[in-house]
Amino acid sequence: MKLGIYGYGNVGKGVEYACAQNKDVELVGIFTRRDKNEVKSQLGNKVYSVSELKDFKDKIDILIICGGSATELPTMTVDLAKDFNVIDTFDTHANIPTHFKNVDKSAKDSGHIAMISCGWDPGMFSLNRLYANALLPTGVDYTFWGKGISQGHSDAIRRIKGVIDAKQYTVPVKEVVDRILKGETPELSTRQKHLRECYVVVEEGADKEKIAEEIKNMPNYFADYDTTVNFISKEELIEKHSGMPHAGFVIRTGTTGKEGEHKHTISYNLKLDSNPEFTAMATVAFARALYKEKLNGTVGCLTVFDIRPRDLIDMSYEELLKHML
Amino acid sequence: MKLGIYGYGNVGKGVEYACAQNKDVELVGIFTRRDKNEVKSQLGNKVYSVSELKDFKDKIDILIICGGSATELPTMTVDLAKDFNVIDTFDTHANIPTHFKNVDKSAKDSGHIAMISCGWDPGMFSLNRLYANALLPTGVDYTFWGKGISQGHSDAIRRIKGVIDAKQYTVPVKEVVDRILKGETPELSTRQKHLRECYVVVEEGADKEKIAEEIKNMPNYFADYDTTVNFISKEELIEKHSGMPHAGFVIRTGTTGKEGEHKHTISYNLKLDSNPEFTAMATVAFARALYKEKLNGTVGCLTVFDIRPRDLIDMSYEELLKHML
């Protein structure tokens, strides 16, 4: 299976490491929108300019697109699906149906296969929501994110006047998660589910009190949450908050029996040292399945919901029956 | 989708309740090996003798076989697959490859579709092992069972002279589970992973000390574990230990990055008030997917690894994109 990487940011680097861990994968090259001479592969792979991509139409089985969901992927995946079999990590949940429709049309018109929204949420969390709902049709769903860095919230703080840099952690309220894991099914407000912890570096002489208030009252991002703001030095931010950890829970509690007298709780939990690298591992596993679908002649856009689990892993069916089932 | 239930024990009753919870399912009937006049459906469904099953060859889409793994299913599923599309809950892990081969041949020879080993382990736990291994090829797997009743171990105690009845709980060692959920990857002996708690009712005048020793030293079942034996009255056994709860964890910790410097922990946890009813819910969800495969013309034996998640749920793809992805 020959893969290409389009975009060499955190996820792109993660895909490069993932290719090295998966023995059935050959990484054809990394394609960058920057000056290719200024981009150095972490593992000595070839770096090309995206303008060279047209020469690789028949040399890449699946192109993994590592772009931003907000502004890049909505057009990038649609365009690249005209010439390649593609997979992306589009994660703006509300816009998934539209993105799916656009990518599906592009892929079908050109006879390619595509997958959108691969990763952990959307991705593995979505699969767990589906499995749990399929098995327990009568029940209540919960998703908790964190503790982990939210890129969007960190960016929102950085746009405030006087702020040099910032990191925002989304933190699930532990007591609430524990209650739900024990089978309780409370109705929860946004504020009851997650806290927001901010680490902020400001310019000398900045009005910290004013900045803290501006953060805490920011609509959509912080106003509906209990938010703590910590002002720290640039050095401390780099030393203690440079990682990209994330975590989360998908929980469903449902009932069965003659009169719903039996309760069941299904929970799926991730604890990730590196959000982008885990996302990258998922894209490579699903690229493997997509490649098999391509060999079957499938065209159009798929999601994680379409993939037979057996196609994700580099292991024979006999081995799966023996060691995994 | 028209389902039939073959065998009306705990799982069979659970399937009956599951059919009532799933609106796209029609339960054609319950087929019993006992005198059908002595078997009463919990929900007023029709009860037939298994000898009448031959009249239902074209009236049942999928027959859910609720028999015992140890002695019944190895021949039962193979035989029934000659005339029906079938699904079973075969759970003797070591014999899965052989059972698969036998059922696959029977189903292929007669042009039917079959699924073996549906439930939670094998079943949902197997799926989680596969997904976690596909995403994190470099890592360590753990499976813990309990706290829950082990039927096999309870039966083993009941065979001891002087024992009237018994229930055995398999209990994971909490401290060890917690360490692993935090990302530690210890090598563990059997004794370090699970405890065994026994509740035993004995005949009047029985030698309790001798019976306790016999339990604790029973090879394969108890000798490798820390086992506690509690002698209680028949009334207390009925009052406190009549339920069929179970639980468990599938955990994988793996590494990613340039030099494996980032650690990730994936865990899946079930807490079930009723082991047979949850197993039954799984069989009905997978029967739905099997029915779709049948409409596609698939024949032979499948497992949970072959099933596209989207086929498990009674929801349109548009709804899945909008609400689950």
Side-chain angles (χ1 to χ4, degrees), chain B residues 114-177:
Chain B
M115 176 179 287
I116 61 158
S117 301
C118 188
W120 60 277
D121 194 3
M124 293 310 299
F125 273 22
S126 320
L127 281 168
N128 276 280
R129 285 188 281 265
L130 191 161
Y131 278 115
N133 275 270
L135 265 67
L136 296 176
T138 311
V140 186
D141 287 304
Y142 296 93
T143 300
F144 289 91
W145 297 274
K147 183 178 179 176
I149 297 275
S150 163
Q151 206 55 55
H153 288 78
S154 302
D155 288 344
I157 300 172
R158 286 190 203 106
R159 285 193 293 265
I160 294 174
K161 199 168 149 21
V163 171
I164 295 173
D165 202 353
K167 289 286 167 80
Q168 192 270 181
Y169 293 90
T170 305
V171 186
V173 177
K174 192 178 176 307
E175 296 69 35
V176 169
V177 176

Side-chain angles (χ1 to χ4, degrees), chain B residues 94-306:
Chain B
N95 298 338
I96 285 175
T98 303
H99 187 51
F100 179 88
K101 206 176 122 194
N102 295 339
V103 173
D104 190 49
K105 184 174 185 326
S106 173
K108 277 185 179 147
D109 286 351
S110 63
H112 289 98
I113 190 166
M115 176 179 287
I116 61 158
S117 301
C118 188
W120 60 277
D121 194 3
M124 293 310 299
F125 273 22
S126 320
L127 281 168
N128 276 280
R129 285 188 281 265
L130 191 161
Y131 278 115
N133 275 270
L135 265 67
L136 296 176
T138 311
V140 186
D141 287 304
Y142 296 93
T143 300
F144 289 91
W145 297 274
K147 183 178 179 176
I149 297 275
S150 163
Q151 206 55 55
H153 288 78
S154 302
D155 288 344
I157 300 172
R158 286 190 203 106
R159 285 193 293 265
I160 294 174
K161 199 168 149 21
V163 171
I164 295 173
D165 202 353
K167 289 286 167 80
Q168 192 270 181
Y169 293 90
T170 305
V171 186
V173 177
K174 192 178 176 307
E175 296 69 35
V176 169
V177 176
D178 288 345
R179 279 171 59 198
I180 292 168
L181 287 175
K182 280 180 186 147
E184 289 187 43
T185 53
E187 280 196 42
L188 298 168
S189 66
T190 300
R191 191 178 299 275
Q192 286 171 304
K193 289 182 70 185
H194 295 94
L195 308 172
R196 299 204 175 274
E197 263 179 40
C198 311
Y199 295 87
V200 185
V201 181
V202 293
E203 291 167 3
E204 224 181 290
D207 184 342
K208 290 182 182 175
E209 205 170 314
K210 190 167 161 263
I211 289 172
E213 284 312 301
E214 199 169 333
I215 294 172
K216 289 180 185 180
N217 295 314
M218 199 184 294
N220 301 320
Y221 285 91
F222 293 99
D224 298 333
Y225 297 86
D226 287 336
T227 301
T228 54
V229 179
N230 306 281
F231 293 99
I232 60 174
S233 67
K234 192 161 183 68
E235 292 67 37
E236 190 180 343
L237 192 81
I238 290 168
E239 192 195 323
K240 295 190 185 159
H241 305 287
S242 283
M244 283 171 283
H246 223 309
F249 280 94
V250 171
I251 310 172
R252 184 169 175 84
T253 293
T255 53
T256 67
K258 195 169 181 176
E259 290 163 331
E261 65 274 28
H262 292 133
K263 190 180 269 188
H264 308 275
T265 304
I266 303 173
S267 64
Y268 181 76
N269 177 216
L270 292 176
K271 286 204 187 87
L272 313 176
D273 272 359
S274 167
N275 181 357
E277 287 179 9
F278 187 79
T279 299
M281 296 303 285
T283 63
V284 171
F286 280 92
R288 178 181 289 121
L290 208 60
Y291 175 63
K292 291 175 192 169
E293 287 284 351
K294 176 207 154 189
L295 296 180
N296 290 337
T298 310
V299 296
C301 190
L302 306 181
T303 69
V304 294
F305 297 152
D306 293 283

